[in-house]
Amino acid sequence: MAVKKAAAKKTAKKTLQKKWVYLFEEGNKDMRDLLGGKGAGLAEMTNAKLPVPPGFTITTEACNTYVALGKKFPKGMWEQTLKSMKEVEKQTGKKFGDPKNPLLVSVRSGAKFSMPGMMDTVLNLGLNAETMVGIEKLTNNPRFAQDAYRRFIQMFGRIVMGIEAKKWDAIFDGVKEKYHAKQDTDLGVDGLKEVVAQYKELYKKELGEEFPEDPYKQLELAIQAVFGSWMGKRAVDYRRINKIPDNLGTAVNVCTMVFGNQGDDSGTGVAFTRDPGTGENELFGEYLVNAQGEDVVAGIRTPMKIAELKDKNSKVYNEFRKLARQMEKHYREMQDLEFTVERGKLWMLQTRTGKRTARAAVNVAVQMVNEKLITKEEAVQRVDPQQVVQLLMPQFDYKAKEEATKVGKQLAKGLNASPGAATGLAIFDPDTAEKLGKEGKSVILVRYETSPEDVHGMYASKGILTQHGGATSHAAVVARGAGLPCVAGCEGIRVDEGAKMFSADGKTIKEGDSISIDGGTGEVFAGEIKTVLPDFEQDENLKTLLGWADEIRLKKSRKGMENAPELGLQVWANADYPRDARMARKFGAQGIGLCRTEHMFFETERLPIVQKMILAKNDAERQKYLDELLPIQRGDFIGIFEAMEDLPTVIRLIDPPLHEFLPSYEELLVKSTELRVRIEYMHKDGVDNSTEKAQLKETEEMLKAVAGMKEANPMLGLRGCRLGITMPQITIMQTRAIIEAACTLKKRGVNVHPEIMIPLVGHVNELKNQRDLLEAEAKKVIEEQAVDLEYKFGTMIEIPRGALTANEIAEYAQFFSFGTNDLTQTTFGYSRDDAEGKFLLKYVEEKILPENPFQSLDQTGVGRLMEIAVKEGRAVKPNLKVGICGEHGGDPSSIEFCHRTGLNYVSCSPFRVPVARLAAAQAALTPISKDK
């Protein structure tokens, strides 16, 4: 009995053992968290009966446990790996390490989210001196066996053991030169044997030990290398840039090797089910004859287009095309596929969601709705709001580009790997590119070919140019994901990275010279070319997608929210001039959330009047200049109202300190000193200096006035409503100008909706003072004009005390608008200009702050104040309209917070209105969790 219990206990313990390893047939597409994207894709293709080489996946949990245990395999993982290898041996009829019929495998990384080229891969694992002979006999192809062996030694030595790539390349290039081999494939058996021998010598010299012959030791070290690459610098940098969490880990995929380098009836390819640059519904990709997978993505040889495979091997092409369509229909998404042809037989090695340009993302989303593959809601969720920004990226001015071509500035033409136009300094190494990029300089990174180690320099650049590589090379994939223009495989240039220069068509471009690249056409030019914005009006697919977004945020807005506004989260714009308002409307803005009146004061012809008004010695003199400004301001507002017609327009009364309209104290001091010296010299020379004396008198009066206005901290000084209280004539004039302009339009039959915003209110009595004063003026104007006009008075919540006393302030406000730029400054106690210039970047890099709070809303601090203000304001006035008009109004994550908090609108720059429309729809589609 005791024996039975012990056996049962042992069985239960065995049953409960953690599963670290899954055969491909044990997984599916929904196991991305555990198996990573590649592993889940291989499992799904296996279960769909596609031709997938047998293999297994070691889970992301194993990776995280390995890291947590100080780089030790979790208990039971290695044993499960060995057991799975036995199963693969059964399925293939081969044995791992068997000299006669050897099983060779690839060991590849595969995280939940695609990170192309950022982690490690080892091919041909299991080769040693004995199994190499076995492969040679089985294939009757000595060159293939030697080539596979030299590839494995190099990859293992470089990736697993960390020997520099250039040392391997030097050996290979030296042997190629000895045998006069132009291409890798020109090197024969004898040459490859020399390469293998020299590779083994290098390995021993660098590491002090022989190259490992035991296939299981090779496998153990390769798995450790892939796990370790998750925390490698390039992978960490990529995750930081793309906001991928560190705790996801990577899976390890161990897959039976199939060989594309067995002759002209073999090859390897990478293809997308649709064009990742344009979204066109045609197979897009590349194929290399007699090559292994890394040859395509590394850009070592320039491949043929996938369509050319149809002529070379129509049977394989048609089979692949059928499987590609099957996978796209199965996943209901554009796929990125890797495949190998081994002696005429097609093998599928990967399927994953294809990375694409912004243009392709929009086009594919709209096409798939029209093809009834996905819904409108899915289409809206598939386009990243930042991709909309990329669609509005500059392109080269047609005439400027034509002229550059005509005068011979075109240097070469390569593959149009990622669209967009860029001009910058030619820089030949990623570190310098990163350094100059941080200094705000425009850089084009020029490389012979890029590698994953270049990623930090690529992201700091405005564009990328490579001599080698194709449209699916590392450079192209990273560029498309980052929205960077890229010209790849530009064989017309000769890059010398050591000398930091490239030559093309008899011309030499040195580091620091300006070049221009067109990622849409593949053209490369010397010098700078003027750029222009694309035409939003002609972009039918983008307008269609944004139209769906507008429908969705209205339809879905109230789900899961008690205080959601009836019309959903609207998108308004910040516009200071009629041209801004017209652009905002073109981009789909539903109102103006911020019109800054002080910007109008800086216009050249009116600034002298503003300065005289500020320097006035008494109220009567000040009123004289305000009377001059009144018709000018009225004209400004008429222009804004005309552009917006019947849409609401929020106009903020003067906000900045008055000294901002005057010359700086330091400039005036220098000018005063220079005038005194000039007057003295002119006097000595007997030259009339009356003009200079008059200028000195005027300058010194201005200097005295500026000195009198000088404040220790002007951003917290006499500005906003405080200025209106101490100098009421200014805001009275502005209110009159606004209401007179509105009445003028109303008389023309335009149903305008002016909303006057009083800024920087921290105490209810400030708002009460200003509203009582200004509403009296508004009523007076309406009576004079004899029109019926609706208007509102509200306030900007940008002081913490204003948010905390929102219940009091709501008594006198008809709307709230969060000025989150100042609210962030006053909540954190930061001066934005000083913080961003001196320490904020370091705070973000060292994770003291998760993000720059001036770019993405601090939801736990500033956001908490906003939540309090909304809740307490609406407790007093349930229908209180609340919006946001800081720069955060165009940030997708901040927009999602505004939706969740129940705001009526977000207001952003006109250019970001399309971004906000999409982000607001995505926020409406996001379920509201109870803990938020």
Side-chain angles (χ1 to χ4, degrees):
M1 189 71 175
V3 174
K4 283 185 177 180
K5 283 185 177 178
K9 189 175 181 181
K10 187 176 180 181
T11 303
K13 186 177 180 181
K14 189 175 180 181
T15 304
L16 292 171
Q17 187 181 48
K18 180 78 173 177
K19 188 170 176 64
W20 301 108
V21 183
Y22 289 76
L23 293 166
F24 289 163
E25 54 266 34
E26 294 179 308
N28 60 60
K29 66 180 174 61
D30 299 321
M31 297 173 70
R32 289 172 60 88
D33 286 352
L34 192 64
L35 303 181
K38 192 181 298 260
L42 285 163
E44 194 72 9
M45 287 194 296
T46 299
N47 293 326
K49 307 302 180 187
L50 270 66
V52 177
F56 56 88
T57 301
I58 304 170
T59 66
T60 56
E61 289 180 347
C63 173
N64 286 332
T65 307
Y66 171 83
V67 173
L69 291 174
K71 298 186 177 180
K72 291 181 181 178
F73 287 157
K75 186 178 179 182
M77 189 208 87
W78 182 246
E79 291 75 15
Q80 291 178 33
T81 300
L82 298 179
K83 183 180 177 183
S84 297
M85 185 65 84
K86 293 296 180 190
E87 185 60 37
V88 172
E89 288 177 339
K90 283 182 190 176
Q91 293 176 16
T92 60
K94 301 178 181 182
K95 285 193 175 294
F96 193 53
D98 180 12
K100 293 181 180 178
N101 189 20
L103 169 65
L104 303 184
V105 297
S106 63
V107 179
R108 297 173 180 264
S109 61
K112 177 181 179 180
F113 300 110
S114 176
M115 296 171 58
M118 296 301 112
M119 293 179 291
D120 291 340
T121 292
V122 181
L123 304 181
N124 306 339
L125 192 139
L127 275 173
N128 56 27
E130 292 182 340
T131 56
M132 191 272 294
V133 173
I135 291 290
E136 184 176 323
K137 288 178 179 177
L138 284 169
T139 62
N140 195 28
N141 190 337
R143 190 198 179 280
F144 160 70
Q146 290 290 344
D147 187 47
Y149 197 22
R150 70 93 186 166
R151 287 171 183 270
F152 172 55
I153 296 171
Q154 180 182 13
M155 291 188 83
F156 190 91
R158 177 172 61 85
I159 290 168
V160 178
M161 307 309 292
I163 302 172
E164 287 181 286
K166 64 182 180 183
K167 294 181 179 180
W168 303 101
D169 293 343
I171 291 172
F172 193 64
D173 291 343
V175 175
K176 278 173 65 179
E177 189 174 340
K178 176 182 174 181
Y179 285 87
H180 307 291
K182 291 183 179 179
Q183 299 283 347
D184 297 359
T185 50
D186 296 334
L187 201 59
V189 174
D190 291 340
L192 289 167
K193 284 182 177 178
E194 282 191 39
V195 172
V196 168
Q198 289 187 42
Y199 276 2
K200 285 188 172 182
E201 288 175 13
L202 174 65
Y203 188 96
K204 186 174 181 180
K205 178 184 174 184
E206 291 289 323
L207 301 173
E209 59 186 45
E210 300 291 343
F211 186 81
E213 294 285 300
D214 179 4
Y216 285 100
K217 188 63 179 176
Q218 296 171 2
L219 179 63
E220 179 186 355
L221 292 171
I223 293 169
Q224 289 176 354
V226 174
F227 279 163
S229 69
W230 174 253
M231 294 309 296
K233 184 180 185 303
R234 67 178 189 263
V236 171
D237 286 347
Y238 186 92
R239 291 200 298 276
R240 294 289 174 276
I241 293 163
N242 291 280
K243 298 182 179 179
I244 298 172
D246 287 336
N247 62 0
L248 296 180
T250 181
V252 177
N253 299 287
V254 179
C255 184
T256 302
M257 280 297 304
V258 288
F259 297 95
N261 57 334
Q262 289 204 44
D264 288 345
D265 62 347
S266 302
T268 187
V270 176
F272 296 81
T273 53
R274 304 188 189 220
D275 188 326
T278 66
E280 185 181 356
N281 192 3
E282 284 294 332
L283 275 180
F284 175 94
E286 294 166 331
Y287 181 76
L288 263 178
V289 175
N290 195 18
Q292 283 198 285
E294 76 272 19
D295 294 342
V296 179
V297 294
I300 293 168
R301 287 159 53 196
T302 301
M304 68 171 72
K305 292 186 183 299
I306 191 72
E308 295 175 48
L309 178 60
K310 187 175 183 180
D311 298 327
K312 192 165 186 66
N313 191 330
S314 60
K315 178 178 175 292
V316 168
Y317 176 83
N318 290 331
E319 184 185 359
F320 176 72
R321 183 183 178 86
K322 179 183 175 183
L323 294 176
R325 291 294 171 225
Q326 181 182 336
M327 283 293 94
E328 182 177 271
K329 193 171 181 181
H330 180 75
Y331 280 96
R332 299 165 56 249
E333 176 61 291
M334 179 182 121
Q335 295 297 291
D336 172 1
L337 305 161
E338 289 183 16
F339 66 99
T340 285
V341 179
E342 182 182 72
R343 289 190 280 188
K345 178 172 174 55
L346 174 67
W347 292 96
M348 301 298 291
L349 304 180
Q350 174 177 282
T351 186
R352 63 184 176 189
T353 298
K355 288 190 176 295
R356 66 208 76 176
T357 63
R359 165 60 51 221
V362 171
N363 289 349
V364 169
V366 173
Q367 286 168 13
M368 285 189 166
V369 171
N370 294 336
E371 293 164 16
K372 302 193 184 322
L373 274 176
I374 62 175
T375 64
K376 291 179 182 179
E377 286 79 4
E378 288 173 308
V380 163
Q381 288 177 305
R382 285 189 182 180
V383 178
D384 189 314
Q386 295 303 334
Q387 290 178 312
V388 176
V389 176
Q390 294 168 29
L391 282 182
L392 304 174
M393 282 171 57
Q395 304 291 324
F396 286 142
D397 175 78
Y398 176 77
K399 288 185 179 178
K401 182 179 172 182
E402 191 176 45
E403 180 63 24
T405 305
K406 196 180 292 182
V407 299
K409 285 191 174 184
Q410 184 174 335
L411 298 171
K413 188 169 183 178
L415 297 172
N416 52 334
S418 183
T423 293
L425 307 177
I427 300 297
F428 293 81
D429 72 276
D431 293 336
T432 303
E434 183 182 45
K435 177 177 176 292
L436 295 177
K438 285 183 175 178
E439 292 173 5
K441 294 179 180 174
S442 294
V443 167
I444 305 293
L445 180 63
V446 183
R447 301 289 277 166
Y448 180 79
E449 62 194 35
T450 63
S451 70
E453 285 78 12
D454 295 339
V455 69
H456 61 293
M458 296 169 77
Y459 275 100
S461 303
K462 297 295 184 186
I464 300 160
L465 169 64
T466 68
Q467 179 178 332
H468 280 297
T472 52
S473 65
H474 175 262
V477 171
V478 172
R480 281 197 294 269
L484 294 171
C486 176
V487 175
C490 191
E491 303 288 354
I493 67 173
R494 289 290 172 267
V495 176
D496 186 336
E497 293 177 355
K500 300 199 171 190
M501 57 174 280
F502 76 83
S503 58
D505 195 28
K507 301 181 182 70
T508 298
I509 301 293
K510 297 177 181 177
E511 183 155 273
D513 290 346
S514 291
I515 61 171
S516 300
I517 64 170
D518 189 334
T521 63
E523 294 165 299
V524 181
F525 298 87
E528 298 182 6
I529 299 178
K530 179 185 173 184
T531 55
V532 292
L533 293 175
D535 190 350
F536 176 80
E537 290 294 331
Q538 299 302 313
D539 198 333
E540 294 301 328
N541 278 347
L542 179 57
K543 290 199 296 183
T544 296
L545 185 79
L546 293 175
W548 294 340
D550 294 340
E551 291 173 16
I552 288 163
R553 60 191 166 91
L554 177 59
K555 184 169 66 175
K556 299 278 186 181
S557 63
R558 293 195 60 79
K559 290 198 172 181
M561 298 174 63
E562 294 177 7
N563 60 343
E566 288 291 342
L567 297 176
L569 183 65
Q570 294 192 329
V571 177
W572 296 13
N574 302 339
D576 302 330
Y577 303 98
R579 62 177 180 271
D580 298 334
R582 286 189 290 272
M583 180 180 285
R585 290 207 69 176
K586 182 179 81 170
F587 285 139
Q590 296 168 283
I592 295 297
L594 177 63
C595 175
R596 290 161 283 215
T597 54
E598 64 272 3
H599 284 197
M600 303 164 181
F601 287 169
F602 286 106
E603 298 274 339
T604 306
E605 74 280 358
R606 62 187 76 173
L607 186 57
I609 307 172
V610 174
Q611 291 176 342
K612 289 174 183 175
M613 180 271 292
I614 293 168
L615 297 173
K617 295 181 176 60
N618 52 56
D619 287 347
E621 187 180 350
R622 177 167 291 115
Q623 190 61 53
K624 172 189 168 187
Y625 296 116
L626 286 170
D627 289 343
E628 286 186 47
L629 287 171
L630 174 62
I632 298 172
Q633 281 259 276
R634 183 171 59 237
D636 294 331
F637 300 137
I638 286 173
I640 294 279
F641 290 143
E642 282 177 335
M644 296 311 294
E645 297 179 335
D646 60 346
L647 296 178
T649 302
V650 177
I651 299 172
R652 183 182 72 185
L653 300 176
I654 189 168
D655 183 44
L658 291 180
H659 74 83
E660 288 195 10
F661 301 101
L662 302 175
S664 76
Y665 182 83
E666 290 73 16
E667 286 175 7
L668 290 169
L669 198 58
V670 169
K671 185 178 179 181
S672 171
T673 304
E674 288 175 345
L675 281 168
R676 284 179 179 279
V677 171
R678 195 181 309 155
I679 288 167
E680 187 174 339
Y681 275 110
M682 292 173 77
H683 175 70
K684 285 180 181 178
D685 295 340
V687 178
D688 179 41
N689 56 16
S690 56
T691 302
E692 283 70 18
K693 283 183 176 180
Q695 289 176 353
L696 178 62
K697 182 181 178 185
E698 184 181 336
T699 301
E700 290 190 333
E701 283 179 0
M702 183 79 78
L703 184 64
K704 185 178 178 182
V706 170
M709 291 180 181
K710 210 170 181 183
E711 295 178 296
N713 191 340
M715 293 310 292
L716 295 178
L718 183 59
R719 54 170 288 221
C721 65
R722 304 160 196 168
L723 189 59
I725 291 168
T726 55
M727 296 184 184
Q729 293 159 288
I730 298 175
T731 49
I732 287 173
M733 180 277 290
Q734 290 192 303
T735 300
R736 173 169 280 274
I738 293 166
I739 301 299
E740 284 183 351
C743 289
T744 300
L745 268 292
K746 196 70 188 286
K747 288 176 181 177
R748 296 181 193 169
V750 181
N751 190 24
V752 293
H753 297 281
E755 302 187 8
I756 300 172
M757 183 156 66
I758 298 165
L760 215 72
V761 168
H763 194 285
V764 63
N765 289 340
E766 291 175 316
L767 180 59
K768 183 178 184 301
N769 172 286
Q770 283 291 279
R771 180 168 177 185
D772 289 348
L773 180 73
L774 302 179
E775 189 152 33
E777 185 69 13
K779 288 177 178 177
K780 183 178 176 183
V781 173
I782 289 170
E783 189 176 338
E784 291 169 359
Q785 297 289 326
V787 295
D788 183 18
L789 178 71
E790 289 185 7
Y791 60 89
K792 289 182 179 177
F793 276 99
T795 188
M796 207 166 182
I797 303 290
E798 50 193 330
I799 299 290
R801 193 182 189 283
L804 294 170
T805 59
N807 58 327
E808 296 179 356
I809 290 173
E811 295 281 0
Y812 295 92
Q814 293 169 289
F815 65 89
F816 285 172
S817 181
F818 291 107
T820 49
N821 299 337
D822 273 355
L823 188 57
T824 299
Q825 289 196 99
T826 52
T827 300
F828 275 95
Y830 292 165
S831 161
R832 178 174 184 173
D833 293 340
D834 294 326
E836 291 191 319
K838 292 187 170 67
F839 63 85
L840 205 50
L841 181 62
K842 187 174 181 66
Y843 270 36
V844 174
E845 285 178 348
E846 296 190 5
K847 295 186 176 179
I848 293 170
L849 291 176
E851 291 177 286
N852 181 339
F854 294 105
Q855 293 176 354
S856 191
L857 188 70
D858 164 43
Q859 297 183 18
T860 53
V862 176
R864 178 75 184 116
L865 289 171
M866 291 172 65
E867 289 171 332
I868 291 169
V870 171
K871 183 179 178 181
E872 298 203 0
R874 286 188 176 149
V876 175
K877 286 184 178 172
N879 295 320
L880 182 71
K881 185 163 69 174
V882 185
I884 180 175
C885 62
E887 288 177 32
H888 298 101
D891 170 61
S893 68
S894 304
I895 290 169
E896 193 274 334
F897 174 82
C898 292
H899 165 77
R900 206 168 68 232
T901 308
L903 268 61
N904 296 83
Y905 66 86
V906 294
S907 187
C908 55
S909 70
F911 191 70
R912 291 192 71 87
V913 165
V915 180
R917 287 168 66 188
L918 183 62
Q922 291 176 347
L925 289 166
T926 302
I928 306 296
S929 61
K930 291 180 180 178
D931 60 337
K932 285 186 175 180

